[in-house]
Amino acid sequence: MSAMIRGRTIVITGASSGIGEATALRLARAGARLCLVARRADELRRVQNLVHALGAEAWIYPTDLSQAGEVEALADALLAEHARIDVLVNNAGRSIRRRVSESFERMHDYERTMALNYFAAVRLTLRLLPGMLERNDGHIVNVSSLSALMPTPRFSAYVASKCALEGFSRTLAAEMAGRDIAVSVINFPLVKTAMTAPTAVYNYLPQMSTDKAAGWIVKAIETRRYRITNRLGEAWNAATALAPDPTVKWTGRLFKIVGERLQRRADRERANGGA
Ligand SMILES: NC(=O)c1ccc[n+]([C@@H]2O[C@H](COP(=O)([O-])OP(=O)(O)OC[C@H]3O[C@@H](n4cnc5c(N)ncnc54)[C@H](OP(=O)(O)O)[C@@H]3O)[C@@H](O)[C@H]2O)c1
């Protein structure tokens, strides 16, 4: 299986922290050549040093992926500096947790999540796919979320951008049928990273480790399966498809009840801590 990784050139966006960093380290142990992308050059250099310490090669590409021109320059550099790109992991992402009713003056929330979570991934795919098609060999791995499989209050901007990425992925996977080019979508549950840290209620919910999450990305690359998720994701996805009305209604109520209970607990603990 590690033949899918050893000596292969793998681009990871969002490699300066969290799931992307952990994925870089796992793939380094398996002998991949890594192209690490994110905005913070110092953090990318730190991850690059960790990769080198594991005996693997890594190059860093500080890039703001929300800027179309920077994504094009990144693609130019990747294609000029590497004979081939075998795998693209579109992992960089941003999340916004806000109700639609609190977003009336915040169209920019929707534009910013789409710019990074959707358009950057599509733009990079459009530039790297031609080489994969020429060689009839390649793999696009798109990082999505469990929230794209279930009705998830408060995350309309984030979920919409991940659902757009899923729609693109599904169509691309269908178009690639019969070729040796794989497309994978990974629907992570909560993972303990900088992204989830600001939300106090998440402290009372199970959160996957970044190393385990990285294991899911490695599994996608090794198995080339279309979807990697857990039972909860599969069940909610099926329920939403089979019985959308009750699923949306009751999931919304469940989130409200559990969310309010956890928020009261977080407020109580903060008050006690402050006393
Ligand atoms: N954590 C979760 O619970 C969870 C659950 C489901 C799915 N996910 C998905 O997992 C992926 C990784 O998230 P994470 O949890 O590991 O969060 P994280 O630790 O905050 O990592 C986000 C990564 O994206 C990069 N990034 C952010 N904005 C960027 C930009 N404009 N240009 C280039 N890179 C940018 C960040 O690097 P710089 O700041 O250096 O640019 C960082 O490396 C995301 O797509 C997220 O939606 C996370």
Side-chain angles (χ1 to χ4, degrees):
M1 282 291 201
S2 66
M4 304 309 296
I5 297 173
R6 184 163 301 283
R8 309 265 282 171
T9 303
I10 302 181
V11 177
I12 308 172
T13 70
S16 61
S17 66
I19 297 168
E21 173 181 350
T23 301
L25 300 184
R26 276 216 178 207
L27 292 172
R29 282 186 207 103
R33 304 170 78 250
L34 297 167
C35 301
L36 309 173
V37 183
R39 287 168 304 181
R40 290 168 297 166
D42 50 342
E43 290 301 310
L44 285 178
R45 264 191 296 276
R46 181 183 60 75
V47 178
Q48 182 186 37
N49 288 336
L50 294 173
V51 169
H52 286 163
L54 292 167
E57 288 182 288
W59 295 262
I60 63 166
Y61 296 89
T63 308
D64 184 345
L65 292 166
S66 65
Q67 304 300 315
E70 291 202 28
V71 183
E72 294 292 346
L74 165 68
D76 289 343
L78 289 169
L79 293 170
E81 293 167 20
H82 300 276
R84 49 188 286 161
I85 302 294
D86 297 298
V87 183
L88 167 63
V89 181
N90 284 310
N91 165 74
R94 67 180 293 163
S95 172
I96 294 177
R97 181 174 180 263
R98 187 170 287 118
R99 290 188 180 93
V100 176
S101 57
E102 293 161 351
S103 307
F104 297 149
E105 306 293 329
R106 299 189 62 91
M107 188 60 202
H108 55 274
D109 282 354
Y110 295 86
E111 289 166 345
R112 286 174 186 167
T113 45
M114 287 298 278
L116 180 61
N117 299 356
Y118 180 57
F119 287 121
V122 171
R123 192 175 290 276
L124 211 43
T125 303
L126 295 181
R127 291 295 308 278
L128 300 185
L129 189 59
M132 296 180 183
L133 283 168
E134 258 173 44
R135 296 184 297 275
N136 192 29
D137 181 21
H139 193 168
I140 309 290
V141 178
N142 288 329
V143 171
S144 183
S145 160
L146 212 63
S147 62
L149 299 178
M150 57 201 286
T152 312
R154 289 182 186 233
F155 284 91
S156 61
Y158 177 70
V159 168
S161 67
K162 293 295 189 186
C163 284
L165 185 61
E166 295 220 5
F168 176 79
S169 308
R170 195 164 52 230
T171 302
L172 178 61
E175 289 181 12
M176 292 300 119
R179 297 176 198 257
D180 280 338
I181 294 175
V183 180
S184 298
V185 174
I186 305 189
N187 298 92
F188 284 122
L190 276 180
V191 182
K192 202 168 178 54
T193 67
M195 186 177 277
T196 51
T199 308
V201 294
Y202 291 162
N203 290 330
Y204 310 114
L205 295 171
Q207 295 191 50
M208 187 184 263
S209 71
T210 51
D211 187 54
K212 188 164 181 197
W216 282 28
I217 293 182
V218 171
K219 184 174 168 189
I221 296 173
E222 288 181 330
T223 62
R224 293 163 80 86
R225 261 171 46 193
Y226 176 69
R227 192 182 297 287
I228 307 280
T229 189
N230 60 14
R231 289 274 155 77
L232 187 65
E234 282 162 6
W236 236 296
N237 196 24
T240 309
L242 293 172
D245 287 290
T247 306
V248 170
K249 186 169 136 193
W250 290 106
T251 309
R253 289 195 179 169
L254 183 70
F255 267 87
K256 192 166 163 25
I257 293 164
V258 174
E260 284 173 359
R261 194 167 291 169
L262 293 180
Q263 190 60 56
R264 278 198 298 276
R265 189 170 157 192
D267 292 345
R268 225 174 20 246
E269 287 184 10
R270 202 174 32 241
N272 288 343

